[in-house]
Amino acid sequence: YDSNIGKAIATYRHGGDSTLQAFVISVSGTTPSFGTHAEIDAATDGRPGISYDPVEDATLIIWSDNTEGIGNVITVSGTTISIDSEVTFEATESCDYCAVSYDVSAAKHLVAYIEGSPSYYGNMVVATIASGSVTFGTPVTFEYSAVTDINCAYDANLQKTCIVYNKATNNAEASIVTISGTTPTETLSGTSIATGANSSDPDVVYDPDTGRRICCYYNQTDANSDSTILTNSVTTTADDYLGIAQATVADDTTVTI
């Protein structure tokens, strides 16, 4: 969402010709209207990510073009998209999935992505926008096992970013990341969201009203979409109290309260 112009920007991979497209969404009342679709790249692979930078008034799009990970800055005037030059953040291999969120405290973007074949590790890199262009720090691996899905969201309460991902064993996990300069560091790693080889497609969103992150994922055991609240607050208050477990269980195990 571009808060400066009060419009949303969407990006997607075209299923017919594999081009990367973006367009502006305007809303009047409850009626949306769509601007002209702009081609960002002629060939892309996997899922792109998008994040708005309120300080630079620009939007970062990240994606893979089958051989490397790429980022680009776009700006919007009315419903017209202007495109900057492409910049590579992963030059050695493609990225199967890309996700990105803006870190308000660091005034930078955290990019989370799945490294290409043969490892499929979970990687992250910091992106900085200045004067309409993007630069990237050095990629860091946060998960040294195969990852199949990935998403991220900034937690304004913690002033850190939460990355949720699914391992090849179908266990959904979450990591908390802080940014210092252009270096991302895990402060909490590999916390299980759903175990038992039954989860896929995890996603996460920050709820500013409760100061918590809500993660949803697909439960393959019963073919339903489940959700969980992720909490590791910087302070302990009555609002952080969830209840008393109805059984004695091991760490990172789901239990009814």
Side-chain angles (χ1 to χ4, degrees):
Y1 180 74
D2 187 327
S3 57
N4 184 52
I5 62 173
K7 302 177 189 292
I9 303 169
T11 184
Y12 65 98
R13 177 179 179 266
H14 194 286
D17 57 15
S18 297
T19 58
L20 180 65
Q21 303 278 339
F23 62 95
V24 176
I25 305 172
S26 306
V27 178
S28 178
T30 58
T31 303
S33 59
F34 307 100
T36 302
H37 292 226
E39 182 178 298
I40 308 300
D41 196 353
T44 184
D45 184 33
R47 185 190 64 201
I50 187 169
S51 178
Y52 176 67
D53 189 321
V55 175
E56 294 293 324
D57 187 25
T59 297
L60 174 64
I61 298 179
I62 57 167
W63 73 94
S64 172
D65 72 346
N66 300 308
T67 59
E68 57 188 6
I70 297 173
N72 204 341
V73 174
I74 64 173
T75 53
V76 177
S77 177
T79 58
T80 301
I81 291 176
S82 298
I83 307 167
D84 193 53
S85 300
E86 297 178 1
V87 179
T88 299
F89 65 83
E90 177 61 77
T92 58
E93 48 197 319
S94 64
C95 313
D96 284 356
Y97 286 86
C98 296
V100 59
S101 62
Y102 181 72
D103 185 318
V104 176
S105 61
K108 299 179 187 295
H109 304 257
L110 182 69
V111 178
Y113 64 97
I114 301 175
E115 189 177 282
S117 177
S119 66
Y120 300 105
Y121 290 164
N123 285 4
M124 56 185 175
V125 65
V126 174
T128 306
I129 296 178
S131 302
S133 297
V134 62
T135 56
F136 294 97
T138 302
V140 175
T141 298
F142 68 87
E143 177 57 59
Y144 284 94
S145 63
V147 174
T148 57
D149 303 290
I150 197 164
N151 274 297
C152 61
Y154 177 70
D155 186 322
N157 183 39
L158 291 179
Q159 295 185 339
K160 299 175 182 179
T161 298
C162 176
I163 302 176
V164 295
Y165 54 97
N166 214 67
K167 299 173 74 169
T169 53
N170 289 333
N171 292 335
E173 295 189 352
S175 292
I176 303 299
V177 178
T178 185
I179 294 175
S180 177
T182 59
T183 303
T185 303
E186 281 185 284
T187 59
L188 179 67
S189 62
T191 299
S192 294
I193 300 171
T195 58
N198 63 352
S199 63
S200 65
D201 305 312
D203 204 350
V204 62
V205 64
Y206 176 70
D207 182 349
D209 292 334
T210 62
R212 293 184 172 93
R213 284 150 279 122
I214 301 173
C215 176
C216 60
Y217 58 92
Y218 179 69
N219 187 328
Q220 299 181 36
T221 301
D222 56 14
N224 287 320
S225 294
D226 290 346
S227 63
T228 186
I229 297 175
L230 306 179
T231 61
N232 52 318
S233 303
V234 292
T235 57
T236 301
T237 68
D239 291 335
D240 296 323
Y241 178 72
L242 297 181
I244 299 174
Q246 296 182 9
T248 301
V249 297
D251 288 347
D252 299 327
T253 302
T254 300
V255 65
T256 301
I257 59 174

